[in-house]
Amino acid sequence: MNYNIFRIVNVQFIQKRFIKKVQVRVRFAPSPTGLLHVGSLRTALYNYLFARANNGAFILRIEDTDQSRCIPETIKKIQNDLLWSGIIPDEDPIRGGPAGPYIQSKRLEIYKEQVLKLIDNQSAYYCFCTKNRLELLRKQAIKSGQVPKYDNRCRNLNSNEVKVKLNNGDPFCIRFKLSSEIEYFNDLIYGKIELDITKREGDPIIIKTDGYPTYHFANVVDDHFMEISHVLRGIEWQVSTPKHIMMYKAFNWTPPIYGHLPLILNSDGTKLSKRQNNINIESFRKEGIFPLAVLNYVIHAGGGFDNKGGAHYIDSYEELIKQFNISKIKVNSNKLSPPKLLEFNRLEITKLLANEKNNKFLIERIKKLVVETFSNRQTDESLQLDEHHIISILKWAQNRISKLNDLVSPNLSFLWIVPTKPLDTTYLEYLDTLKIIKKKLVEIDIQNFNNIWINNYLKKFANEHKIHYPTLMKLLRFILSGLKEGPPVAEMMEILGKDSTLLRIKRYIS
């Protein structure tokens, strides 16, 4: 399809309504400098939902022009995290597409060709200033209380001077000529934005000395050739947007419509950082958090949705697409609330359990988790991993846990393995008592082996044998789980089942 026929003719719009209908094409363009975290995921999600809600295309582009900071293996991790989250690109480095390649380091010839057009029309120029000179400018500006910025010295070089320096092999970069006119644009979220960027910076570098483009130049060139209609990105890029629009004008291209997303902050009000281990998507995956829980967690910090169900309802992918409304995005920064993540994950576990079609998936997840956690303590054969047991445990535990990993925590390990702690000698006098209980449990029909019967029997047994009931409970809890505190004993016996309960009692008797 030739998307050119859908390009916007006029980017100005009234009250956030488009003057002319466009073919929506949006992109998520992360730098492979670290793991994907919830802030970046929010940007990807909002672009994805905007595309799906408007029958558009969602593109993943890797912006790796800053080679000194790139970590190659993170490209694959970012793609895996997006797929895990259910955010599926229509075009990306793996699938390809009509506007590829989708990794900037593979598009260098395109940038070289396009920058020559700006030099030819005198919108850009060669700069031969050394690092020492630029550093001196910076120090002088700071000393005099001014904003450090380039003084545009090489803008005034004539063509002969430039030719001589190039022939001499002098190192150079290429800078873009900023316009002295104030550039304004209509932000989809913040409304009219008017900035005089020449007050805060000199002419920016668009091609570095190493031949790689800077973010600003590559961003504009790629968005144009990839037919991007709308750019939804973080608020930190809003100050750069006038500069990008100037570049579009220099090329005589039509810029996309811009919308900038407010910051998401940590619960203490600090900024998110790629160095934080507790906000990256990979850590959520390892902890047993489900994708929809993460997505619902993210949308509750920034708006854009009806959220009629509030924090006690988890929206599906279909509901998120249907609800997304860019005009409802809040302009203020919003704090993450970690307890909400666990609440959403608990809701997702309950939702998955309600549909038997998910049983096989859940069973395999739990089996893998249990084997990885306990295989070094017991053989796989001795782990209690039959399907009925796993589903029974999930249904019993769904209101007790926040994530699947909680099921293999020390307090719940008794669900899968026989405790190995030796019996406290203070309980030795109750061995005959245990034999009587074991005999009764052997006789009881397995169909009647439930919480109510067990509870009534143990209370009656304690009364008839003149045993302090709390002492009996402590004894049985320790035998069954190795714990001094935990779930009610009758519940533990029911969830373990008759055979496993008897096995653990017999172990201590013998």
Side-chain angles (χ1 to χ4, degrees):
M1 178 180 288
N2 182 1
Y3 289 100
N4 283 320
I5 62 175
F6 297 105
R7 295 292 292 177
I8 275 186
V9 174
N10 190 335
V11 296
Q12 294 183 4
F13 53 92
I14 300 173
Q15 295 179 342
K16 298 181 182 177
R17 294 176 182 271
F18 307 138
I19 288 176
K20 186 169 182 179
K21 189 176 181 180
V22 299
Q23 168 68 27
V24 170
R25 283 175 63 82
V26 295
R27 49 71 169 176
F28 174 55
S31 298
T33 56
L35 296 174
L36 187 70
H37 63 63
V38 291
S40 298
L41 182 74
R42 191 271 301 263
T43 300
L45 174 64
Y46 281 23
N47 276 280
Y48 173 79
L49 295 177
F50 186 73
R52 294 293 173 264
N54 291 281
N55 296 315
F58 171 68
I59 296 149
L60 172 65
R61 183 174 76 220
I62 302 297
E63 299 194 339
D64 62 342
T65 56
D66 189 349
Q67 291 286 293
S68 63
R69 297 178 61 230
C70 288
I71 307 171
E73 60 267 24
T74 60
I75 295 177
K76 187 175 181 180
K77 288 184 178 181
I78 289 171
Q79 291 175 303
N80 287 341
D81 285 341
L82 288 176
L83 292 175
W84 174 83
S85 302
I87 301 174
I88 315 298
D90 299 294
E91 302 167 29
D92 65 18
I94 295 176
R95 293 172 184 77
Y102 295 91
I103 298 178
Q104 286 186 335
S105 59
K106 296 182 179 180
R107 298 173 62 84
L108 297 183
E109 290 304 315
I110 297 174
Y111 307 132
K112 289 176 183 177
E113 179 184 345
Q114 296 305 313
V115 79
L116 291 177
K117 293 180 181 180
L118 294 186
I119 289 177
D120 288 343
N121 68 19
Q122 298 184 347
S123 296
Y125 60 92
Y126 294 99
C127 175
F128 300 93
C129 292
T130 63
K131 288 184 179 179
N132 288 339
R133 181 177 185 275
L134 296 176
E135 180 62 20
L136 184 61
L137 278 178
R138 190 186 71 83
K139 289 180 178 179
Q140 287 175 344
I142 294 173
K143 189 176 181 180
S144 59
Q146 297 177 340
V147 177
K149 62 180 184 177
Y150 180 57
D151 61 358
N152 300 345
R153 176 184 181 182
C154 289
R155 185 195 273 212
N156 301 315
L157 293 175
N158 60 47
S159 58
N160 287 331
E161 289 175 306
V162 171
K163 188 179 292 185
V164 170
K165 289 180 178 294
L166 290 176
N167 289 336
N168 288 339
D170 292 359
F172 67 86
C173 65
I174 298 176
R175 292 181 182 268
F176 177 74
K177 292 181 180 179
L178 292 179
S179 170
S180 58
E181 295 181 7
I182 296 177
E183 192 70 58
Y184 82 91
F185 67 99
N186 288 295
D187 192 303
L188 275 170
I189 297 164
Y190 288 84
K192 186 175 180 179
I193 302 296
E194 199 169 334
L195 295 168
D196 183 357
I197 59 174
T198 58
K199 288 184 177 179
R200 54 185 295 271
E201 64 176 298
D203 292 340
I205 296 172
I206 54 176
I207 298 291
K208 295 175 287 186
T209 305
D210 62 4
Y212 275 81
T214 59
Y215 163 82
H216 304 287
F217 183 67
N219 179 279
V220 167
V221 171
D222 289 345
D223 282 351
H224 172 72
F225 285 108
M226 292 182 183
E227 309 274 355
I228 301 302
S229 63
H230 299 74
V231 172
L232 303 180
R233 59 187 179 188
I235 186 64
E236 66 271 20
W237 296 112
Q238 192 181 68
V239 295
S240 299
T241 302
K243 177 165 51 184
H244 298 164
I245 292 174
M246 287 181 190
M247 291 184 197
Y248 273 97
K249 288 183 176 180
F251 278 117
N252 197 27
W253 295 340
T254 301
I257 296 171
Y258 289 93
H260 293 88
L261 305 172
L263 285 176
I264 292 181
L265 304 173
N266 288 305
S267 57
D268 60 1
T270 57
K271 288 185 178 181
L272 303 182
S273 168
K274 287 186 177 182
R275 291 183 292 275
Q276 284 179 249
N277 292 326
N278 63 338
I279 62 165
N280 67 63
I281 308 308
E282 188 175 88
S283 69
F284 293 149
R285 294 170 69 178
K286 290 179 179 178
E287 286 178 19
I289 302 294
F290 285 99
L292 270 177
V294 177
L295 299 190
N296 278 263
Y297 176 51
V298 166
I299 69 167
H300 274 73
F305 301 84
D306 292 330
N307 295 140
K308 291 179 180 177
H312 302 293
Y313 180 81
I314 189 162
D315 288 304
S316 66
Y317 290 100
E318 293 79 9
E319 288 169 321
L320 290 176
I321 292 170
K322 187 177 179 180
Q323 287 184 30
F324 181 65
N325 187 337
I326 201 166
S327 68
K328 291 189 177 183
I329 295 176
K330 303 169 187 175
V331 296
N332 298 323
S333 300
N334 286 269
K335 296 178 183 178
L336 289 169
S337 176
K340 279 186 179 179
L341 175 62
L342 297 180
E343 176 62 23
F344 284 128
N345 204 58
R346 189 181 295 114
L347 290 170
E348 179 65 356
I349 291 172
T350 301
K351 197 172 182 179
L352 289 169
L353 269 172
N355 188 340
E356 289 185 2
K357 292 180 180 178
N358 298 317
N359 282 5
K360 186 175 181 181
F361 158 73
L362 291 169
I363 287 167
E364 291 307 311
R365 282 285 299 271
I366 298 302
K367 278 185 178 179
K368 185 173 184 292
L369 187 61
V370 172
V371 170
E372 287 177 351
T373 305
F374 300 115
S375 59
N376 62 330
R377 293 172 57 180
Q378 296 189 214
T379 63
D380 291 354
E381 291 76 16
S382 66
L383 297 174
Q384 198 167 347
L385 291 174
D386 63 275
E387 295 183 0
H388 175 75
H389 179 64
I390 291 174
I391 293 300
S392 296
I393 283 176
L394 277 171
K395 290 179 178 178
W396 169 78
Q398 61 184 306
N399 294 321
R400 292 176 167 85
I401 62 173
S402 298
K403 49 188 186 293
L404 294 184
N405 287 29
D406 292 343
L407 288 172
V408 292
S409 64
N411 287 341
L412 293 179
S413 62
F414 72 90
L415 295 168
W416 317 104
I417 61 174
V418 177
T420 56
K421 290 182 180 179
L423 185 62
D424 192 320
T425 54
T426 58
Y427 292 128
L428 290 177
E429 61 181 289
Y430 296 104
L431 286 179
D432 289 337
T433 301
L434 288 174
K435 291 177 182 179
I436 298 172
I437 292 176
K438 183 204 77 172
K439 183 178 180 181
K440 181 65 178 178
L441 295 182
V442 169
E443 296 172 353
I444 186 68
D445 191 319
I446 194 169
Q447 300 298 324
N448 297 323
F449 195 82
N450 57 60
N451 177 25
I452 297 174
W453 180 88
I454 295 169
N455 202 40
N456 290 334
Y457 169 71
L458 292 177
K459 285 182 179 179
K460 183 179 177 182
F461 181 89
N463 184 54
E464 290 177 351
H465 291 80
K466 308 298 184 207
I467 299 174
H468 189 47
Y469 182 71
T471 301
L472 179 61
M473 293 302 99
K474 286 182 180 180
L475 168 63
L476 289 173
R477 179 177 289 110
F478 189 84
I479 289 173
L480 296 171
S481 66
L483 302 173
K484 292 183 178 180
E485 295 180 357
V489 170
E491 283 189 28
M492 293 172 69
M493 293 173 73
E494 180 180 18
I495 196 65
L496 287 171
K498 178 180 174 180
D499 292 342
S500 184
T501 297
L502 283 170
L503 176 68
R504 296 180 189 210
I505 292 175
K506 287 176 183 177
R507 175 177 174 272
Y508 277 100
I509 290 174
S510 60

mmCIF file with all atom_site columns, all heavy atoms in Angstrom, residues 172-189:
data_model
loop_
_atom_site.group_PDB
_atom_site.id
_atom_site.type_symbol
_atom_site.label_atom_id
_atom_site.label_alt_id
_atom_site.label_comp_id
_atom_site.label_asym_id
_atom_site.label_entity_id
_atom_site.label_seq_id
_atom_site.pdbx_PDB_ins_code
_atom_site.Cartn_x
_atom_site.Cartn_y
_atom_site.Cartn_z
_atom_site.occupancy
_atom_site.B_iso_or_equiv
_atom_site.pdbx_formal_charge
_atom_site.auth_seq_id
_atom_site.auth_comp_id
_atom_site.auth_asym_id
_atom_site.auth_atom_id
_atom_site.pdbx_PDB_model_num
ATOM 1   N N   . PHE A 1 172 ? 35.144 16.550 11.327 1.00 0.00 ? 172 PHE A N   1
ATOM 2   C CA  . PHE A 1 172 ? 33.981 17.447 11.303 1.00 0.00 ? 172 PHE A CA  1
ATOM 3   C C   . PHE A 1 172 ? 32.721 16.704 11.734 1.00 0.00 ? 172 PHE A C   1
ATOM 4   O O   . PHE A 1 172 ? 32.642 15.475 11.744 1.00 0.00 ? 172 PHE A O   1
ATOM 5   C CB  . PHE A 1 172 ? 33.770 17.997 9.885  1.00 0.00 ? 172 PHE A CB  1
ATOM 6   C CG  . PHE A 1 172 ? 33.352 16.950 8.880  1.00 0.00 ? 172 PHE A CG  1
ATOM 7   C CD1 . PHE A 1 172 ? 32.014 16.600 8.711  1.00 0.00 ? 172 PHE A CD1 1
ATOM 8   C CD2 . PHE A 1 172 ? 34.311 16.290 8.117  1.00 0.00 ? 172 PHE A CD2 1
ATOM 9   C CE1 . PHE A 1 172 ? 31.637 15.622 7.795  1.00 0.00 ? 172 PHE A CE1 1
ATOM 10  C CE2 . PHE A 1 172 ? 33.932 15.300 7.192  1.00 0.00 ? 172 PHE A CE2 1
ATOM 11  C CZ  . PHE A 1 172 ? 32.595 14.967 7.041  1.00 0.00 ? 172 PHE A CZ  1
ATOM 12  N N   . CYS A 1 173 ? 31.756 17.515 12.132 1.00 0.00 ? 173 CYS A N   1
ATOM 13  C CA  . CYS A 1 173 ? 30.397 17.022 12.311 1.00 0.00 ? 173 CYS A CA  1
ATOM 14  C C   . CYS A 1 173 ? 29.518 17.895 11.416 1.00 0.00 ? 173 CYS A C   1
ATOM 15  O O   . CYS A 1 173 ? 30.012 18.824 10.778 1.00 0.00 ? 173 CYS A O   1
ATOM 16  C CB  . CYS A 1 173 ? 29.959 17.102 13.775 1.00 0.00 ? 173 CYS A CB  1
ATOM 17  S SG  . CYS A 1 173 ? 29.851 18.788 14.417 1.00 0.00 ? 173 CYS A SG  1
ATOM 18  N N   . ILE A 1 174 ? 28.247 17.598 11.370 1.00 0.00 ? 174 ILE A N   1
ATOM 19  C CA  . ILE A 1 174 ? 27.326 18.425 10.589 1.00 0.00 ? 174 ILE A CA  1
ATOM 20  C C   . ILE A 1 174 ? 26.242 18.944 11.530 1.00 0.00 ? 174 ILE A C   1
ATOM 21  O O   . ILE A 1 174 ? 25.667 18.177 12.313 1.00 0.00 ? 174 ILE A O   1
ATOM 22  C CB  . ILE A 1 174 ? 26.694 17.631 9.424  1.00 0.00 ? 174 ILE A CB  1
ATOM 23  C CG1 . ILE A 1 174 ? 27.788 17.157 8.465  1.00 0.00 ? 174 ILE A CG1 1
ATOM 24  C CG2 . ILE A 1 174 ? 25.665 18.480 8.671  1.00 0.00 ? 174 ILE A CG2 1
ATOM 25  C CD1 . ILE A 1 174 ? 27.278 16.268 7.333  1.00 0.00 ? 174 ILE A CD1 1
ATOM 26  N N   . ARG A 1 175 ? 26.018 20.256 11.457 1.00 0.00 ? 175 ARG A N   1
ATOM 27  C CA  . ARG A 1 175 ? 25.030 20.902 12.323 1.00 0.00 ? 175 ARG A CA  1
ATOM 28  C C   . ARG A 1 175 ? 23.856 21.421 11.502 1.00 0.00 ? 175 ARG A C   1
ATOM 29  O O   . ARG A 1 175 ? 23.989 21.776 10.334 1.00 0.00 ? 175 ARG A O   1
ATOM 30  C CB  . ARG A 1 175 ? 25.656 22.058 13.111 1.00 0.00 ? 175 ARG A CB  1
ATOM 31  C CG  . ARG A 1 175 ? 26.677 21.609 14.151 1.00 0.00 ? 175 ARG A CG  1
ATOM 32  C CD  . ARG A 1 175 ? 27.242 22.807 14.914 1.00 0.00 ? 175 ARG A CD  1
ATOM 33  N NE  . ARG A 1 175 ? 28.250 22.405 15.880 1.00 0.00 ? 175 ARG A NE  1
ATOM 34  C CZ  . ARG A 1 175 ? 28.002 22.109 17.148 1.00 0.00 ? 175 ARG A CZ  1
ATOM 35  N NH1 . ARG A 1 175 ? 26.746 22.180 17.599 1.00 0.00 ? 175 ARG A NH1 1
ATOM 36  N NH2 . ARG A 1 175 ? 28.971 21.760 17.967 1.00 0.00 ? 175 ARG A NH2 1
ATOM 37  N N   . PHE A 1 176 ? 22.707 21.491 12.179 1.00 0.00 ? 176 PHE A N   1
ATOM 38  C CA  . PHE A 1 176 ? 21.490 22.020 11.559 1.00 0.00 ? 176 PHE A CA  1
ATOM 39  C C   . PHE A 1 176 ? 21.301 23.476 11.978 1.00 0.00 ? 176 PHE A C   1
ATOM 40  O O   . PHE A 1 176 ? 21.506 23.824 13.138 1.00 0.00 ? 176 PHE A O   1
ATOM 41  C CB  . PHE A 1 176 ? 20.277 21.198 11.990 1.00 0.00 ? 176 PHE A CB  1
ATOM 42  C CG  . PHE A 1 176 ? 18.963 21.710 11.473 1.00 0.00 ? 176 PHE A CG  1
ATOM 43  C CD1 . PHE A 1 176 ? 18.615 21.542 10.138 1.00 0.00 ? 176 PHE A CD1 1
ATOM 44  C CD2 . PHE A 1 176 ? 18.079 22.370 12.316 1.00 0.00 ? 176 PHE A CD2 1
ATOM 45  C CE1 . PHE A 1 176 ? 17.396 22.022 9.647  1.00 0.00 ? 176 PHE A CE1 1
ATOM 46  C CE2 . PHE A 1 176 ? 16.870 22.854 11.845 1.00 0.00 ? 176 PHE A CE2 1
ATOM 47  C CZ  . PHE A 1 176 ? 16.532 22.681 10.505 1.00 0.00 ? 176 PHE A CZ  1
ATOM 48  N N   . LYS A 1 177 ? 20.913 24.327 11.034 1.00 0.00 ? 177 LYS A N   1
ATOM 49  C CA  . LYS A 1 177 ? 20.696 25.744 11.328 1.00 0.00 ? 177 LYS A CA  1
ATOM 50  C C   . LYS A 1 177 ? 19.307 25.948 11.955 1.00 0.00 ? 177 LYS A C   1
ATOM 51  O O   . LYS A 1 177 ? 18.289 25.761 11.293 1.00 0.00 ? 177 LYS A O   1
ATOM 52  C CB  . LYS A 1 177 ? 20.790 26.579 10.050 1.00 0.00 ? 177 LYS A CB  1
ATOM 53  C CG  . LYS A 1 177 ? 22.170 26.646 9.431  1.00 0.00 ? 177 LYS A CG  1
ATOM 54  C CD  . LYS A 1 177 ? 22.149 27.521 8.180  1.00 0.00 ? 177 LYS A CD  1
ATOM 55  C CE  . LYS A 1 177 ? 23.522 27.599 7.533  1.00 0.00 ? 177 LYS A CE  1
ATOM 56  N NZ  . LYS A 1 177 ? 23.503 28.433 6.295  1.00 0.00 ? 177 LYS A NZ  1
ATOM 57  N N   . LEU A 1 178 ? 19.323 26.337 13.212 1.00 0.00 ? 178 LEU A N   1
ATOM 58  C CA  . LEU A 1 178 ? 18.050 26.632 13.875 1.00 0.00 ? 178 LEU A CA  1
ATOM 59  C C   . LEU A 1 178 ? 17.518 27.968 13.386 1.00 0.00 ? 178 LEU A C   1
ATOM 60  O O   . LEU A 1 178 ? 18.276 28.921 13.179 1.00 0.00 ? 178 LEU A O   1
ATOM 61  C CB  . LEU A 1 178 ? 18.220 26.672 15.390 1.00 0.00 ? 178 LEU A CB  1
ATOM 62  C CG  . LEU A 1 178 ? 18.544 25.346 16.092 1.00 0.00 ? 178 LEU A CG  1
ATOM 63  C CD1 . LEU A 1 178 ? 18.707 25.581 17.586 1.00 0.00 ? 178 LEU A CD1 1
ATOM 64  C CD2 . LEU A 1 178 ? 17.468 24.301 15.835 1.00 0.00 ? 178 LEU A CD2 1
ATOM 65  N N   . SER A 1 179 ? 16.203 28.040 13.238 1.00 0.00 ? 179 SER A N   1
ATOM 66  C CA  . SER A 1 179 ? 15.571 29.293 12.828 1.00 0.00 ? 179 SER A CA  1
ATOM 67  C C   . SER A 1 179 ? 15.403 30.206 14.038 1.00 0.00 ? 179 SER A C   1
ATOM 68  O O   . SER A 1 179 ? 15.165 29.743 15.163 1.00 0.00 ? 179 SER A O   1
ATOM 69  C CB  . SER A 1 179 ? 14.204 29.005 12.203 1.00 0.00 ? 179 SER A CB  1
ATOM 70  O OG  . SER A 1 179 ? 13.479 30.195 12.007 1.00 0.00 ? 179 SER A OG  1
ATOM 71  N N   . SER A 1 180 ? 15.528 31.497 13.823 1.00 0.00 ? 180 SER A N   1
ATOM 72  C CA  . SER A 1 180 ? 15.348 32.459 14.907 1.00 0.00 ? 180 SER A CA  1
ATOM 73  C C   . SER A 1 180 ? 13.868 32.688 15.209 1.00 0.00 ? 180 SER A C   1
ATOM 74  O O   . SER A 1 180 ? 13.514 33.297 16.223 1.00 0.00 ? 180 SER A O   1
ATOM 75  C CB  . SER A 1 180 ? 16.006 33.798 14.545 1.00 0.00 ? 180 SER A CB  1
ATOM 76  O OG  . SER A 1 180 ? 15.459 34.305 13.337 1.00 0.00 ? 180 SER A OG  1
ATOM 77  N N   . GLU A 1 181 ? 13.011 32.196 14.326 1.00 0.00 ? 181 GLU A N   1
ATOM 78  C CA  . GLU A 1 181 ? 11.570 32.342 14.546 1.00 0.00 ? 181 GLU A CA  1
ATOM 79  C C   . GLU A 1 181 ? 11.094 31.338 15.597 1.00 0.00 ? 181 GLU A C   1
ATOM 80  O O   . GLU A 1 181 ? 11.561 30.204 15.644 1.00 0.00 ? 181 GLU A O   1
ATOM 81  C CB  . GLU A 1 181 ? 10.804 32.098 13.238 1.00 0.00 ? 181 GLU A CB  1
ATOM 82  C CG  . GLU A 1 181 ? 11.082 33.132 12.159 1.00 0.00 ? 181 GLU A CG  1
ATOM 83  C CD  . GLU A 1 181 ? 10.280 32.847 10.901 1.00 0.00 ? 181 GLU A CD  1
ATOM 84  O OE1 . GLU A 1 181 ? 9.433  31.929 10.935 1.00 0.00 ? 181 GLU A OE1 1
ATOM 85  O OE2 . GLU A 1 181 ? 10.511 33.542 9.891  1.00 0.00 ? 181 GLU A OE2 1
ATOM 86  N N   . ILE A 1 182 ? 10.158 31.785 16.420 1.00 0.00 ? 182 ILE A N   1
ATOM 87  C CA  . ILE A 1 182 ? 9.599  30.899 17.443 1.00 0.00 ? 182 ILE A CA  1
ATOM 88  C C   . ILE A 1 182 ? 8.687  29.886 16.765 1.00 0.00 ? 182 ILE A C   1
ATOM 89  O O   . ILE A 1 182 ? 7.789  30.244 16.007 1.00 0.00 ? 182 ILE A O   1
ATOM 90  C CB  . ILE A 1 182 ? 8.822  31.701 18.505 1.00 0.00 ? 182 ILE A CB  1
ATOM 91  C CG1 . ILE A 1 182 ? 9.778  32.630 19.265 1.00 0.00 ? 182 ILE A CG1 1
ATOM 92  C CG2 . ILE A 1 182 ? 8.109  30.756 19.473 1.00 0.00 ? 182 ILE A CG2 1
ATOM 93  C CD1 . ILE A 1 182 ? 9.097  33.517 20.277 1.00 0.00 ? 182 ILE A CD1 1
ATOM 94  N N   . GLU A 1 183 ? 8.939  28.630 17.048 1.00 0.00 ? 183 GLU A N   1
ATOM 95  C CA  . GLU A 1 183 ? 8.156  27.551 16.439 1.00 0.00 ? 183 GLU A CA  1
ATOM 96  C C   . GLU A 1 183 ? 7.099  27.072 17.434 1.00 0.00 ? 183 GLU A C   1
ATOM 97  O O   . GLU A 1 183 ? 7.390  26.828 18.600 1.00 0.00 ? 183 GLU A O   1
ATOM 98  C CB  . GLU A 1 183 ? 9.074  26.391 16.068 1.00 0.00 ? 183 GLU A CB  1
ATOM 99  C CG  . GLU A 1 183 ? 8.445  25.346 15.180 1.00 0.00 ? 183 GLU A CG  1
ATOM 100 C CD  . GLU A 1 183 ? 8.198  25.854 13.776 1.00 0.00 ? 183 GLU A CD  1
ATOM 101 O OE1 . GLU A 1 183 ? 9.163  26.277 13.110 1.00 0.00 ? 183 GLU A OE1 1
ATOM 102 O OE2 . GLU A 1 183 ? 7.018  25.821 13.354 1.00 0.00 ? 183 GLU A OE2 1
ATOM 103 N N   . TYR A 1 184 ? 5.854  26.995 16.992 1.00 0.00 ? 184 TYR A N   1
ATOM 104 C CA  . TYR A 1 184 ? 4.830  26.467 17.876 1.00 0.00 ? 184 TYR A CA  1
ATOM 105 C C   . TYR A 1 184 ? 4.150  25.270 17.217 1.00 0.00 ? 184 TYR A C   1
ATOM 106 O O   . TYR A 1 184 ? 4.186  25.101 16.000 1.00 0.00 ? 184 TYR A O   1
ATOM 107 C CB  . TYR A 1 184 ? 3.801  27.543 18.236 1.00 0.00 ? 184 TYR A CB  1
ATOM 108 C CG  . TYR A 1 184 ? 2.732  27.762 17.197 1.00 0.00 ? 184 TYR A CG  1
ATOM 109 C CD1 . TYR A 1 184 ? 1.534  27.052 17.254 1.00 0.00 ? 184 TYR A CD1 1
ATOM 110 C CD2 . TYR A 1 184 ? 2.915  28.677 16.151 1.00 0.00 ? 184 TYR A CD2 1
ATOM 111 C CE1 . TYR A 1 184 ? 0.555  27.227 16.292 1.00 0.00 ? 184 TYR A CE1 1
ATOM 112 C CE2 . TYR A 1 184 ? 1.945  28.854 15.199 1.00 0.00 ? 184 TYR A CE2 1
ATOM 113 C CZ  . TYR A 1 184 ? 0.762  28.131 15.268 1.00 0.00 ? 184 TYR A CZ  1
ATOM 114 O OH  . TYR A 1 184 ? -0.211 28.304 14.313 1.00 0.00 ? 184 TYR A OH  1
ATOM 115 N N   . PHE A 1 185 ? 3.535  24.452 18.043 1.00 0.00 ? 185 PHE A N   1
ATOM 116 C CA  . PHE A 1 185 ? 2.792  23.311 17.520 1.00 0.00 ? 185 PHE A CA  1
ATOM 117 C C   . PHE A 1 185 ? 1.671  22.976 18.503 1.00 0.00 ? 185 PHE A C   1
ATOM 118 O O   . PHE A 1 185 ? 1.688  23.395 19.659 1.00 0.00 ? 185 PHE A O   1
ATOM 119 C CB  . PHE A 1 185 ? 3.712  22.098 17.325 1.00 0.00 ? 185 PHE A CB  1
ATOM 120 C CG  . PHE A 1 185 ? 4.260  21.518 18.599 1.00 0.00 ? 185 PHE A CG  1
ATOM 121 C CD1 . PHE A 1 185 ? 3.680  20.403 19.182 1.00 0.00 ? 185 PHE A CD1 1
ATOM 122 C CD2 . PHE A 1 185 ? 5.378  22.085 19.215 1.00 0.00 ? 185 PHE A CD2 1
ATOM 123 C CE1 . PHE A 1 185 ? 4.180  19.863 20.356 1.00 0.00 ? 185 PHE A CE1 1
ATOM 124 C CE2 . PHE A 1 185 ? 5.896  21.553 20.389 1.00 0.00 ? 185 PHE A CE2 1
ATOM 125 C CZ  . PHE A 1 185 ? 5.300  20.443 20.959 1.00 0.00 ? 185 PHE A CZ  1
ATOM 126 N N   . ASN A 1 186 ? 0.708  22.227 18.014 1.00 0.00 ? 186 ASN A N   1
ATOM 127 C CA  . ASN A 1 186 ? -0.415 21.798 18.855 1.00 0.00 ? 186 ASN A CA  1
ATOM 128 C C   . ASN A 1 186 ? -0.161 20.387 19.357 1.00 0.00 ? 186 ASN A C   1
ATOM 129 O O   . ASN A 1 186 ? -0.100 19.446 18.556 1.00 0.00 ? 186 ASN A O   1
ATOM 130 C CB  . ASN A 1 186 ? -1.715 21.851 18.063 1.00 0.00 ? 186 ASN A CB  1
ATOM 131 C CG  . ASN A 1 186 ? -2.170 23.266 17.801 1.00 0.00 ? 186 ASN A CG  1
ATOM 132 O OD1 . ASN A 1 186 ? -2.507 23.993 18.730 1.00 0.00 ? 186 ASN A OD1 1
ATOM 133 N ND2 . ASN A 1 186 ? -2.151 23.690 16.543 1.00 0.00 ? 186 ASN A ND2 1
ATOM 134 N N   . ASP A 1 187 ? 0.013  20.271 20.648 1.00 0.00 ? 187 ASP A N   1
ATOM 135 C CA  . ASP A 1 187 ? 0.269  18.983 21.276 1.00 0.00 ? 187 ASP A CA  1
ATOM 136 C C   . ASP A 1 187 ? -1.070 18.301 21.548 1.00 0.00 ? 187 ASP A C   1
ATOM 137 O O   . ASP A 1 187 ? -1.976 18.903 22.128 1.00 0.00 ? 187 ASP A O   1
ATOM 138 C CB  . ASP A 1 187 ? 1.046  19.196 22.587 1.00 0.00 ? 187 ASP A CB  1
ATOM 139 C CG  . ASP A 1 187 ? 1.604  17.911 23.162 1.00 0.00 ? 187 ASP A CG  1
ATOM 140 O OD1 . ASP A 1 187 ? 0.814  16.982 23.417 1.00 0.00 ? 187 ASP A OD1 1
ATOM 141 O OD2 . ASP A 1 187 ? 2.832  17.840 23.357 1.00 0.00 ? 187 ASP A OD2 1
ATOM 142 N N   . LEU A 1 188 ? -1.193 17.036 21.135 1.00 0.00 ? 188 LEU A N   1
ATOM 143 C CA  . LEU A 1 188 ? -2.444 16.299 21.331 1.00 0.00 ? 188 LEU A CA  1
ATOM 144 C C   . LEU A 1 188 ? -2.893 16.267 22.789 1.00 0.00 ? 188 LEU A C   1
ATOM 145 O O   . LEU A 1 188 ? -4.072 16.159 23.078 1.00 0.00 ? 188 LEU A O   1
ATOM 146 C CB  . LEU A 1 188 ? -2.273 14.851 20.839 1.00 0.00 ? 188 LEU A CB  1
ATOM 147 C CG  . LEU A 1 188 ? -2.485 14.593 19.345 1.00 0.00 ? 188 LEU A CG  1
ATOM 148 C CD1 . LEU A 1 188 ? -2.048 13.174 19.002 1.00 0.00 ? 188 LEU A CD1 1
ATOM 149 C CD2 . LEU A 1 188 ? -3.927 14.799 18.960 1.00 0.00 ? 188 LEU A CD2 1
ATOM 150 N N   . ILE A 1 189 ? -1.942 16.361 23.699 1.00 0.00 ? 189 ILE A N   1
ATOM 151 C CA  . ILE A 1 189 ? -2.252 16.236 25.125 1.00 0.00 ? 189 ILE A CA  1
ATOM 152 C C   . ILE A 1 189 ? -2.154 17.580 25.851 1.00 0.00 ? 189 ILE A C   1
ATOM 153 O O   . ILE A 1 189 ? -2.996 17.908 26.686 1.00 0.00 ? 189 ILE A O   1
ATOM 154 C CB  . ILE A 1 189 ? -1.313 15.198 25.780 1.00 0.00 ? 189 ILE A CB  1
ATOM 155 C CG1 . ILE A 1 189 ? -1.564 13.821 25.142 1.00 0.00 ? 189 ILE A CG1 1
ATOM 156 C CG2 . ILE A 1 189 ? -1.513 15.136 27.295 1.00 0.00 ? 189 ILE A CG2 1
ATOM 157 C CD1 . ILE A 1 189 ? -0.495 12.802 25.393 1.00 0.00 ? 189 ILE A CD1 1
#
